[in-house]
């Protein structure tokens, strides 16, 4: 075991990503600008390490990998745009819990594009999670139609981040995590730059507090959060990590209650509980299915 307990690292990582929605809400800049500076500062912070240790890996990236990386970067860019935009209409609680439906979008993508088969229990868990999202959407619709629009943007953002992951999983087999992350973040930052220019949004000036939020978004949820997740995978299983990440909307909701004075509705609590329960059921079934396949291969 390492000097730092991996479960402690996982907890710090979850706490770090839980601040993402809070920092976006606090910033006054448009969604595209926030996303651009988040990724730009992330790339700049990664640049020294990449140039010293990993830049030689660029020559090993094949044409197909570049195409997949560009697609992943564009998907990631629009994931951030739509998710950040959703926070202008709906609450942190609703937005973050709906974004965690990513395993179900991955499930649909694997079925449609890779013809993977899933058990009835996995399908049932997906239906349960979808029912939870309907409870949240129903509660938000009772508040306003714009809150429901924010929920819809969150779900589209969730689908986009799934596309980002599906494009990336193939490329990651051939290049290191640092190189892939740097390349995709750089591509995403370029895509966001052109998006901001096309929209006619200003890159400056913004209040000093906004620049602090941009840097904090790069450091905590992007670098610290996801870096700790990747590091802890050496000692923790993927299913354990996935279960831990499901606590992000819980942390974000609590932070929003204390920092942003956002009320917590009973429909958000009920729907969020149903969603997280369905996702936990889905991930446990996936773990059992993977262990069963590995056992068959070993025999």
């Amino acid at each position: 075991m390492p000097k730092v307990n991996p479960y402690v690292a996982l907890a710090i990582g979850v706490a770090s990503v839980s601040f993402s929605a809070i920092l976006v809400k606090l910033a006054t800049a448009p969604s595209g600008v926030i996303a651009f500076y988040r990724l730009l500062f992330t790339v700049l912070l990664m640049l020294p390490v990449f140039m010293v240790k990993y830049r030689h890996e660029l020559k090993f990236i094949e044409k197909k990998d570049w195409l997949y990386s560009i697609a992943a970067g564009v998907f990631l860019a629009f994931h951030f745009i739509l998710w950040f935009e959703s926070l202008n209409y709906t609450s942190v609680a609703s937005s973050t819990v709906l974004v965690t439906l990513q395993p179900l979008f991955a499930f649909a993508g694997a079925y449609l594009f890779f013809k993977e088969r899933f058990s009835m229990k996995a399908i049932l868990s997906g239906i349960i999670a979808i029912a939870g999202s309907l409870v949240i959407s129903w509660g938000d619709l009772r508040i306003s139609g714009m809150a429901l629009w924010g929920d819809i943007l969150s779900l589209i953002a969730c689908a986009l981040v799934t596309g980002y992951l599906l494009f990336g999983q193939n490329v990651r087999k051939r290049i290191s995590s640092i190189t892939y992350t740097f390349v995709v973040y750089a591509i995403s930052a370029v895509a966001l730059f052109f998006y901001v220019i096309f929209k006619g949004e200003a890159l400056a000036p913004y209040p000093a507090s906004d620049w602090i939020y941009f840097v904090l978004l790069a450091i905590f949820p992007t670098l610290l959060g996801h870096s700790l997740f990747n590091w802890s995978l050496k000692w923790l299983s993927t299913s354990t990590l996935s279960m831990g990440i499901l606590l992000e909307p819980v942390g974000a909701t609590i932070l929003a209650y204390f920092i942003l004075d956002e009320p917590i509705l009973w429909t958000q609590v009920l729907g969020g509980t149903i969603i997280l329960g369905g996702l936990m059921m889905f991930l446990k079934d996936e773990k059992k299915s993977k262990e069963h396949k590995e056992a068959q291969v070993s025999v």
Side-chain angles (χ1 to χ4, degrees):
M1 292 292 287
K3 293 181 180 179
V4 178
N5 189 309
Y7 287 99
V8 174
L10 177 58
I12 295 172
V14 171
S16 298
V17 296
S18 296
F19 275 96
S20 182
I22 308 299
L23 294 169
V24 171
K25 278 264 193 180
L26 289 171
T28 61
S31 301
V33 174
I34 298 172
F36 168 67
Y37 281 120
R38 172 178 178 168
L39 287 174
L40 176 64
F41 287 134
T42 300
V43 170
L44 292 176
L45 289 168
M46 292 179 68
L47 186 60
V49 175
F50 174 78
M51 292 301 293
V52 171
K53 292 187 176 182
Y54 297 94
R55 64 177 179 177
H56 67 279
E57 294 185 6
L58 289 176
K59 60 185 177 185
F60 299 118
I61 302 178
E62 300 174 359
K63 182 180 178 180
K64 183 177 75 171
D65 292 339
W66 277 113
L67 292 174
Y68 281 6
S69 297
I70 291 170
V74 172
F75 270 72
L76 182 63
F78 282 93
H79 157 74
F80 280 134
I81 291 168
L82 292 183
W83 184 42
F84 292 178
E85 192 66 24
S86 76
L87 291 166
N88 291 324
Y89 300 102
T90 192
S91 65
V92 168
S94 296
S95 182
T96 52
V97 78
L98 290 172
V99 154
T100 59
L101 283 168
Q102 180 266 320
L104 293 188
F105 282 94
F107 156 78
Y111 176 78
L112 291 172
F113 300 110
F114 303 111
K115 306 302 179 185
E116 287 190 26
R117 294 185 178 275
F118 295 89
S119 68
M120 284 302 299
K121 189 175 180 181
I123 295 171
L124 177 62
S125 64
I127 293 172
I128 291 172
I130 291 169
S133 68
L134 292 175
V135 171
I136 291 176
S137 298
W138 174 72
D140 286 350
L141 179 60
R142 293 177 66 193
I143 299 172
S144 73
M146 297 312 293
L148 179 62
W149 174 240
D151 295 345
I152 293 170
L153 290 176
S154 296
L155 288 171
I156 299 173
C158 185
L160 288 170
V161 80
T162 304
Y164 153 72
L165 293 171
L166 289 174
F167 276 113
Q169 68 180 11
N170 191 271
V171 182
R172 277 285 292 110
K173 295 175 183 177
R174 290 178 290 278
I175 61 177
S176 69
S177 175
I178 295 292
T179 299
Y180 173 72
T181 301
F182 180 84
V183 167
V184 171
Y185 283 0
I187 291 169
S188 192
V190 171
L192 286 164
F193 173 78
F194 283 110
Y195 171 83
V196 169
I197 297 300
F198 176 79
K199 288 272 290 183
E201 296 170 346
L203 291 171
Y206 291 104
S209 57
D210 272 15
W211 295 101
I212 295 172
Y213 298 143
F214 298 156
V215 174
L216 290 177
L217 279 166
I219 294 173
F220 286 97
T222 312
L223 286 178
L224 184 60
H226 292 286
S227 296
L228 285 175
F229 292 155
N230 292 333
W231 176 84
S232 61
L233 270 176
K234 185 175 181 179
W235 293 277
L236 302 178
S237 66
T238 304
S239 58
T240 300
L241 182 66
S242 300
M243 293 293 184
I245 293 173
L246 289 182
L247 294 174
E248 177 190 347
V250 178
T253 300
I254 294 171
L255 289 169
Y257 178 78
F258 286 104
I259 298 174
L260 303 175
D261 293 324
E262 284 194 358
I264 302 175
L265 305 177
W266 70 267
T267 50
Q268 293 170 337
V269 175
L270 177 60
T273 302
I274 293 171
I275 287 174
L276 296 180
L279 290 177
M280 288 176 70
M281 181 178 168
F282 176 79
L283 292 169
K284 284 183 178 179
D285 184 74
E286 280 292 281
K287 181 184 178 184
K288 285 184 180 179
S289 177
K290 185 178 179 181
E291 289 173 348
H292 178 68
K293 288 179 182 177
E294 289 175 348
Q296 287 182 325
V297 171
S298 63
V299 171

